[in-house]
Amino acid sequence: MMPAIRFPYGGDMTIHLDSDLLRTFVAVAEAGNFTKAAEQVSRTQSAVSMQIKRLEDMIGEALFDRGSRGVSLTRRGQELIINARRIVSLIEETAASLKAKPLDGPVRIGIPEEYSYSILSRALGMFSKQHPKVEITVRYAHSASQIEALEAGELDLAVVFEWEDYSDGEVLMRDPTVWVTSNLHCQHEERPLPVALYNRDGWCKDFALRSLEDRGYPYRVAYTSDTTGGLKLAVASGLAIAPVSRSNIPPDCRELTAAEGFGDIDASNVVLHRAPGATSEAIKGMADAIREAFYSRLVVTVP
């Protein structure tokens, strides 16, 4: 069955779109020209042109502006690309799940609390649908503890922050730590600065507090916590400013920028490590799901 997308064209009109046309449309939009798109979808350039023309005829408007340097999306094309990417991704995910042999066995994951909802929930959602018999154990802890557990054979996969002594692990994204304040309370205007910190000395002393000392800011420790959630709560409730990874700034809060006299605290990479003996297909599949969840978070769709 072909996916249907409903467009408001004055009246109630349903257009039935072939998923193959959508796949070609997405390829052209991402490649920026018909030649490269044709290579991606294994068709001739003329066949791709005919497919796009057919899609534009069905919709009744041009989807691309043609130029000497390639093509760009029109307003209607920008509206369509969002749903088109979703549909193509869903079809590919469904096809992969039908082909994939269900896996079983244990997988032990260590991941920062920051990514428990935004990343891990997505990864587990994709993975568990295909492999419901896999037994998954998740451990939330700070990065040094996760690496120790990995080396001790207590974890199969570990996602960690690396802010110095970068390893040869797989970098999933760059997510520097920044000072964060509340839009409602403006704790950053107080002197001495009220700060919320982890109750672990190493990173806080070497990076967070040093960043304030280097800038000559007087500060007082107003709140300590074991978790990032605790630091975010301290900021949101108006108790203090706190060091938080840029991708995890809570609602109604914002980063304190270099222009305001703050700037990045560290240059953290988020890195995936796999234990040397962790070679089962279930572990490999879980690593793929985590990687895809991070990649999906980084993909920016055309507004």
Side-chain angles (χ1 to χ4, degrees), residues 63-109:
L63 298 174
F64 293 102
D65 288 321
R66 278 76 167 172
S68 58
R69 296 185 178 181
V71 297
S72 59
L73 290 167
T74 63
R75 180 184 61 83
R76 182 57 71 184
Q78 291 173 356
E79 293 173 354
L80 177 60
I81 192 66
I82 298 172
N83 282 329
R85 282 189 173 123
R86 291 173 182 163
I87 292 170
V88 170
S89 176
L90 181 60
I91 290 172
E92 291 176 349
E93 181 181 324
T94 303
S97 67
L98 293 173
K99 294 179 181 178
K101 180 182 177 181
L103 304 174
D104 57 19
V107 178
R108 302 165 301 171
I109 307 165

Side-chain angles (χ1 to χ4, degrees), residues 26-79:
V26 170
V28 174
E30 294 179 346
N33 65 63
F34 287 85
T35 302
K36 291 181 180 179
E39 295 174 358
Q40 293 178 14
V41 298
S42 301
R43 293 180 180 273
T44 64
Q45 181 176 338
S46 60
V48 168
S49 298
M50 289 177 63
Q51 284 190 308
I52 296 301
K53 179 64 166 60
R54 179 183 168 195
L55 185 59
E56 290 177 328
D57 288 345
M58 293 172 67
I59 293 176
E61 293 187 47
L63 298 174
F64 293 102
D65 288 321
R66 278 76 167 172
S68 58
R69 296 185 178 181
V71 297
S72 59
L73 290 167
T74 63
R75 180 184 61 83
R76 182 57 71 184
Q78 291 173 356
E79 293 173 354

Side-chain angles (χ1 to χ4, degrees), residues 149-279:
L150 192 77
E151 293 173 347
E154 299 169 1
L155 291 175
D156 302 306
L157 299 169
V159 177
V160 301
F161 288 109
E162 292 183 359
W163 52 85
E164 61 180 354
D165 300 327
Y166 298 114
S167 72
D168 58 356
E170 179 183 354
V171 177
L172 299 171
M173 70 180 293
R174 184 178 181 276
D175 200 5
T177 309
V178 296
W179 285 106
V180 173
T181 190
S182 166
N183 290 328
L184 302 176
H185 302 288
C186 301
Q187 307 95 316
H188 63 285
E189 296 177 356
E190 297 182 18
R191 294 296 182 272
L193 283 167
V195 299
L197 299 173
Y198 294 111
N199 53 20
R200 306 183 299 272
D201 286 339
W203 178 87
C204 288
K205 285 185 176 179
D206 294 342
F207 288 88
L209 294 182
R210 183 186 296 172
S211 74
L212 297 179
E213 292 165 357
D214 289 346
R215 292 174 171 86
Y217 286 130
Y219 62 85
R220 62 181 179 87
V221 178
Y223 183 98
T224 59
S225 173
D226 285 331
T227 67
T228 301
L231 299 190
K232 291 160 72 173
L233 175 63
V235 176
S237 59
L239 290 175
I241 65 172
V244 178
S245 56
R246 181 172 283 146
S247 71
N248 279 275
I249 296 174
D252 295 322
C253 298
R254 67 176 180 84
E255 172 184 345
L256 290 166
T257 65
E260 296 173 283
F262 288 86
D264 293 0
I265 295 173
D266 63 25
S268 294
N269 286 334
V270 182
V271 182
L272 174 64
H273 291 272
R274 185 188 303 181
T279 57

